[in-house]
Amino acid sequence: MSQKLYTIAAFEYSADTLITKGKLESEGIEVFLKDENTVNSDPLISNAIGGIKLQVYAVDKDRALEIYNEIRKYATDSNGDPLVCPNCKAKKLEAYYSRKGIFYKLFPFFEKRKYRCLNCNIIS
């Protein structure tokens, strides 16, 4: 009997993945990491394959998303206060890099930081 898997999130680095995996497993949710070995053997291709996908059984999806949204870190300003979306006023923004062009793919730290709202998906 095969069970469907649901991808909760994708991570560029395995350390971030393992922290979330540990929290979900401590809550009794079985976790699978797709492409973990590929990224660990060659970290430079993480963006090309979409990173390490953290997956759970579809029946555990809602509970896993609830736990993940509790522990995920959102963008903050220099005072530590959460950034607010200019469109929907939500406080669920994360750093966003478009990485357009070969230069920014090789040197993403030169790209100006933008933020993506996880509520309305606007990029500001």
Side-chain angles (χ1 to χ4, degrees):
M1 176 178 171
S2 69
Q3 293 187 6
K4 292 196 176 232
L5 295 176
Y6 179 82
T7 301
I8 297 292
F11 299 89
E12 188 173 356
Y13 305 107
S14 63
D16 298 335
T17 309
L18 295 175
I19 292 168
T20 306
K21 177 183 183 228
K23 175 62 176 171
L24 290 172
E25 288 179 338
S26 74
E27 297 287 335
I29 297 173
E30 194 167 357
V31 177
F32 304 92
L33 301 179
K34 183 177 181 184
D35 296 327
E36 177 189 25
N37 292 332
T38 305
V39 171
N40 284 339
S41 64
D42 189 358
L44 295 177
I45 65 167
S46 181
N47 286 330
I49 64 171
I52 302 168
K53 288 79 158 179
L54 187 134
Q55 299 180 322
V56 299
Y57 286 123
V59 296
D60 295 328
K61 172 184 125 179
D62 293 333
R63 187 160 169 253
L65 280 171
E66 183 180 314
I67 293 166
Y68 176 63
N69 286 328
E70 286 176 10
I71 65 169
R72 81 188 299 176
K73 185 175 180 180
Y74 299 109
T76 57
D77 62 14
S78 58
N79 296 328
D81 298 324
L83 295 177
V84 178
C85 175
N87 185 46
C88 70
K89 308 301 182 219
K91 294 180 180 179
K92 294 184 175 183
L93 278 73
E94 67 180 4
Y96 173 82
Y97 298 97
S98 63
R99 294 189 176 139
K100 291 182 180 174
I102 189 74
F103 181 77
Y104 291 125
K105 286 182 182 176
L106 293 173
F107 306 105
F109 44 84
F110 283 119
E111 185 176 358
K112 185 179 180 219
R113 180 175 292 178
K114 296 178 184 175
Y115 296 95
R116 180 174 64 94
C117 177
L118 299 174
N119 192 42
C120 69
N121 225 16
I122 193 171
I123 298 171
S124 57

